[in-house]
Amino acid sequence: MHKRIGILTSGGDCPGLNAVIRAVVRRAALSNTSVLGIKNGWRGLIEGDVEPLNRSSVTGILPRGGTILGTSRTSPTKDAETTDAILHNWRHFELTGLIAVGGEGTLKGAFEMWQKHNLPLLGVPKTIDNDLSGTDRTFGFDTAVSVVVDAIDRLHSTAESHHRVMVVEVMGRHTGWIAAYGGIAGGADVVLVPEHPFHISRVCAQLSKRQEQGRLFSIIVVAEDAHPATDEDFLSDEARSTIYQHDRLGGIGTLLAREIEMRLNVETRVTKLGYVQRGGSPTAYDRILATRFGIKAFEMVEAGEWGRMVSLQGTSITSVSLEEAIREVKYLDEIIFRLVDIFAG
Ligand code: F6P
């Protein structure tokens, strides 16, 4: 029987998505399997918006950021109507399997569609945040970290010339992976992560100590979901509800800078890196990881290993159950956090 598999990219865009699509299409061609690209995440399967992918559709996409298929944050299990539309189109397009490339939300959706509706599905983990359990790395993370490091290197120029404190706010959702890796590689003086609520008095003491030692500038990296410790909270209720919105984090950098300037009377500026971290060409590391993930995903399709997620364990590409992958958030490794602390101040 001729096989036709679908592939979709869902959730936030991420450098390396095109490398996965390319790898799946190129590998599938060797096994005489056709690939149907589902447009804009699960929404494409709901609306029947698809595009056959062949070798020429994936030519030249390896270095490109974003996703040629488009993406959305649509859930396949939002309501019965949505799920029915997916089941209908699945039959209509005669899919024999589906590769869902995405983060936590996408993989949860894939797990439910596999478990409750018996659809042959498997997942490929992507996110710049590196917060998925079941894999040592997600592609996109390395690229995001390099953007942060490049920014810190550049910010050093102004920080040193103007003797300023520079606050760099980075993404990462509820984890501090990007902040910690970016901070370590960029040589930041203070790194604040969600896993460890920070004490503003301690941050200020570290900055003052640097000044006393003649280091007249400082670079602080703050993760978007880093919180002040409750006993020293300097945020108003209003600020708190604006910064820590579940679906749209951001703003702690500005308030942190204001507080430092007020307490230490030192010029402090903020740079919020935002979506720059997600855009542009993937690093060589991410291109290779995404390519290996894509090839493995296709091999799993051939072996009928459904309900699983491709995973990197050490240097090997393997797989874990989707259930295990979505069970919990992967928080920042304590060993890495201790490393951050050694270089603080
Ligand atoms: O998960 C990737 C990520 O960029 C997070 O770091 C960030 O909190 C979130 O997505 C932003 O999402 P959106 O694209 O919906 O604004």
Side-chain angles (χ1 to χ4, degrees):
M1 185 180 110
H2 180 76
K3 287 187 185 160
R4 177 187 287 138
I5 57 163
I7 181 167
L8 60 81
T9 54
S10 170
D13 67 294
C14 173
L17 285 168
N18 286 327
V20 178
I21 298 168
R22 171 178 173 270
V24 169
V25 172
R26 293 284 297 266
R27 178 63 187 79
L30 298 178
S31 296
N32 203 22
T33 299
S34 55
V35 181
L36 202 60
I38 317 282
K39 307 294 277 294
N40 307 314
W42 296 104
R43 198 198 300 159
L45 211 45
I46 297 163
E47 296 171 355
D49 190 5
V50 299
E51 169 196 355
L53 296 175
N54 53 35
R55 182 142 182 188
S56 69
S57 357
V58 297
T59 295
I61 67 171
L62 178 64
R64 280 170 55 190
T67 160
I68 59 161
L69 291 175
T71 186
S72 70
R73 293 199 188 277
T74 308
S75 161
T77 53
K78 198 176 95 200
D79 48 40
E81 208 181 311
T82 303
T83 307
D84 285 349
I86 290 178
L87 296 174
H88 169 83
N89 280 323
W90 185 287
R91 288 189 296 271
H92 176 70
F93 294 121
E94 298 179 330
L95 292 178
T96 51
L98 177 72
I99 299 174
V101 191
E104 190 203 354
T106 307
L107 298 171
K108 266 189 185 142
F111 175 68
E112 283 174 30
M113 294 303 285
W114 172 70
Q115 208 190 37
K116 290 193 192 140
H117 302 283
N118 220 11
L119 292 185
L121 272 157
L122 61 88
V124 174
K126 74 86 229 194
T127 165
I128 62 164
D129 305 330
N130 196 40
D131 61 351
L132 278 173
S133 292
T135 183
D136 287 349
R137 276 279 172 285
T138 51
F139 66 84
F141 174 64
D142 187 67
T143 306
V145 169
S146 358
V147 171
V148 173
V149 174
D150 181 56
I152 296 175
D153 288 350
R154 289 168 192 275
L155 289 167
H156 264 100
S157 309
T158 306
E160 286 180 32
S161 308
H162 286 261
H163 317 299
R164 283 178 181 164
V165 172
M166 291 296 207
V167 175
V168 191
E169 184 182 303
V170 303
M171 284 184 162
R173 266 256 198 263
H174 307 304
T175 68
W177 289 100
I178 296 178
Y181 271 66
I184 292 167
D189 306 300
V190 176
V191 176
L192 307 174
V193 297
E195 288 85 349
H196 294 267
F198 63 89
H199 291 266
I200 184 74
S201 56
R202 180 161 180 249
V203 172
C204 288
Q206 283 171 321
L207 300 178
S208 303
K209 192 167 154 218
R210 279 178 59 79
Q211 283 212 323
E212 283 155 22
Q213 292 169 341
R215 293 194 292 265
L216 302 179
F217 71 92
S218 294
I219 306 271
I220 301 179
V221 175
V222 59
E224 59 185 354
D225 195 32
H227 288 66
T230 41
D231 57 335
E232 278 195 348
D233 199 350
F234 56 90
L235 302 175
S236 65
D237 285 348
E238 196 196 342
R240 184 164 278 285
S241 64
T242 322
I243 298 170
Y244 303 116
Q245 288 178 45
H246 179 67
D247 61 342
R248 202 170 294 179
L249 296 162
I252 181 64
T254 307
L255 290 159
L256 179 66
R258 194 186 298 163
E259 193 69 18
I260 291 169
E261 204 159 45
M262 210 175 69
R263 291 185 186 218
L264 297 182
N265 195 25
V266 52
E267 256 195 302
T268 307
R269 296 283 195 272
V270 190
T271 304
K272 182 176 171 180
L273 292 182
Y275 297 93
V276 169
Q277 293 159 97
R278 258 169 46 181
S281 193
T283 58
Y285 178 91
D286 278 339
R287 292 181 199 192
I288 292 167
L289 183 60
T291 299
R292 292 181 77 196
F293 276 0
I295 299 293
K296 175 71 177 175
F298 186 78
E299 285 168 2
M300 287 165 64
V301 166
E302 288 210 301
E305 289 178 42
W306 308 115
R308 298 186 69 76
M309 182 190 84
V310 178
S311 146
L312 176 74
Q313 316 247 335
T315 54
S316 305
I317 305 290
T318 170
S319 72
V320 294
S321 70
L322 277 172
E323 191 172 15
E324 184 185 336
I326 58 174
R327 195 173 296 144
E328 55 189 25
V329 170
K330 184 178 73 187
Y331 289 107
L332 177 63
D333 191 333
E334 271 305 297
I335 296 171
I336 300 295
F337 182 70
R338 282 208 294 278
L339 205 61
V340 162
D341 230 24
I342 290 172
F343 292 97

